[in-house]
Amino acid sequence: MTAVHVVVPGTVDDPALPSGGNTYDRQVCAGLPALGWSVHQHPVPGPWPWPDARARASLGRVLASLPDGAVALLDGLVASGSPEVVVPEADRLRLVVLVHMPFGGRPDGDDSGPAGAGECAVLSAAAAVLTTSDWTRRWLLDRYALDPTRVHVAEPGAEPAALAPGTPEGSELLCVAAVIPGKGHDQLLTALAGVADLPWRCVCAGALTLDPVLAQRLLRQARGSGIADRVRFVGSLAGDDLDRVYAASDVLLLASRAETYGLVVTEALARGLPVVATSVGGLPEALGRGPDGTRPGLLVPPEDPAALSAAVRSWLCESEVRERLRRAARGRRVTLPTWSATSRTVAGVLAQVAA
């Protein structure tokens, strides 16, 4: 078997901090052995993607421990912010960087300052770059003038899941997103306040500990809007707990300010749940279309709570809209990519680099 060393954030297996990037990393590490790869995983602790000196030193020790010529797959969350550690190893190691979210693609990111320059240096030095969507690939090629033959797309897969039964009224709303500024919970609450005259309940599942000040501000916003009794922030959920909230829901709401793909979108579609979301980044790719070409959801501009509110009102008030979107979501459900296909794409890129 050919060995690959996979360098990931130290939180990759932390159930309290679920993320699309962590899920992707775990799935690829699980899928590569069946394709002839011996996987050596190296979790690196640190406040990624903004590492301190201790985190950079830990990453340096990991890379220095790898043998000359080793194939190393680095999560971009770890690699992109550490050019002074990663770039000098590019002549010795065969580096592949997996970009979940480029710096300039983040609401708090910067592709023109030091962060962007460092990311550009890392990606330019890598033997290959993997992205999770066509949108991310285009963004990287446009900003950093990378060699397009070295930048590849490995679309995330979707876990098979039981079909959610749904309710006739469609009034059980769900948002699955960590409570951080980029996920737009403030916009979501404003939109929901605009449909307070209608019957609905909304569960917001996602880490509350990453930005406690924001979490408290959102609770105050919900109380001030008179919807606090209808919106539940339940914290991070995973496994059976997350399955249960999906099964009890009618539609996924996502007010993100930035997304390179949006794994929760395909998680919802895998259960036949339509999606109402912002049309940012690679999210429209994740949403896709049903076999008949119908989108299994509604897309609205980011930072436009009025448009999001109107879309939610359409979902709640128009039974024909609900039925159309549910049919499309169930059609899209059977066309979602698999994690085995993702692993095959990644393995193909690793094989090119190894050769």
Side-chain angles (χ1 to χ4, degrees):
M1 300 182 79
T2 305
V4 58
H5 296 267
V6 185
V7 182
V8 294
T11 57
V12 67
D13 292 317
D14 188 344
L17 295 171
S19 72
N22 285 346
T23 297
Y24 190 109
D25 291 349
R26 290 195 303 269
Q27 289 284 355
V28 167
C29 286
L32 286 175
L35 300 170
W37 289 87
S38 173
V39 176
H40 305 272
Q41 187 169 303
H42 304 273
V44 183
W48 311 106
W50 312 112
D52 53 21
R54 179 177 298 181
R56 289 193 179 97
S58 296
L59 175 60
R61 286 191 294 271
V62 167
L63 295 182
S65 73
L66 305 184
D68 290 353
V71 177
L73 175 61
L74 279 61
D75 186 308
L77 201 65
V78 174
S80 291
S82 305
E84 66 273 41
V85 178
V86 176
V87 173
E89 294 285 2
D91 290 334
R92 191 178 68 85
L93 303 173
R94 304 180 187 193
L95 301 181
V96 179
V97 179
L98 169 60
V99 179
H100 293 298
M101 172 71 84
F103 276 119
R106 303 171 187 273
D108 59 349
D110 175 17
D111 67 303
S112 59
E119 181 170 61
C120 179
V122 167
L123 301 183
S124 297
V129 176
L130 280 163
T131 69
T132 58
S133 66
D134 285 322
W135 178 87
T136 310
R137 182 178 186 273
R138 292 192 303 270
W139 193 97
L140 292 176
L141 294 177
D142 178 60
R143 296 305 197 282
Y144 298 149
L146 303 175
D147 178 355
T149 65
R150 295 190 301 105
V151 185
H152 311 270
V153 178
E155 186 180 8
E159 286 275 20
L163 189 67
T167 66
E169 301 81 12
S171 58
E172 299 298 325
L173 316 180
L174 174 65
C175 175
V176 180
V179 177
I180 55 177
K183 298 300 182 180
H185 288 84
D186 56 329
Q187 305 289 295
L188 176 61
L189 293 180
T190 300
L192 292 177
V195 291
D197 56 307
L198 300 173
W200 54 265
R201 294 181 298 182
C202 184
V203 172
C204 292
L208 297 167
T209 56
L210 298 175
D211 193 334
V213 173
L214 174 61
Q216 289 301 314
R217 188 160 65 242
L218 293 173
L219 292 175
R220 291 195 298 271
Q221 180 182 348
R223 287 194 294 269
S225 300
I227 58 174
D229 59 334
R230 301 162 72 180
V231 179
R232 287 196 302 132
F233 286 89
V234 298
S236 295
L237 297 178
D240 292 343
D241 293 331
L242 184 59
D243 287 340
R244 277 192 285 271
V245 297
Y246 271 123
S249 301
D250 289 301
V251 64
L252 178 77
L253 307 182
L254 204 58
S256 298
R257 293 180 164 94
E259 293 284 353
T260 50
Y261 186 76
L263 201 58
V264 295
V265 169
T266 52
E267 283 184 354
L269 293 172
R271 295 160 171 84
L273 293 181
V275 177
V276 176
T278 49
S279 56
V280 292
L283 203 151
E285 287 180 53
L287 185 60
R289 295 183 183 273
D292 65 353
T294 304
R295 278 203 185 278
L298 303 174
L299 293 173
V300 301
E303 303 287 358
D304 190 344
L308 182 58
S309 187
V312 175
R313 181 174 292 277
S314 177
W315 165 265
L316 291 171
C317 293
E318 301 174 46
S319 59
E320 64 275 16
V321 170
R322 291 196 298 275
E323 289 310 307
R324 172 171 57 83
L325 297 182
R326 280 171 167 158
R327 283 195 303 272
R330 290 170 181 176
R332 173 70 170 134
R333 177 174 180 251
V334 301
T335 68
L336 291 171
T338 64
W339 282 113
S340 60
T342 306
S343 296
R344 285 194 300 273
T345 301
V346 173
V349 173
L350 296 178
Q352 292 178 24
V353 170

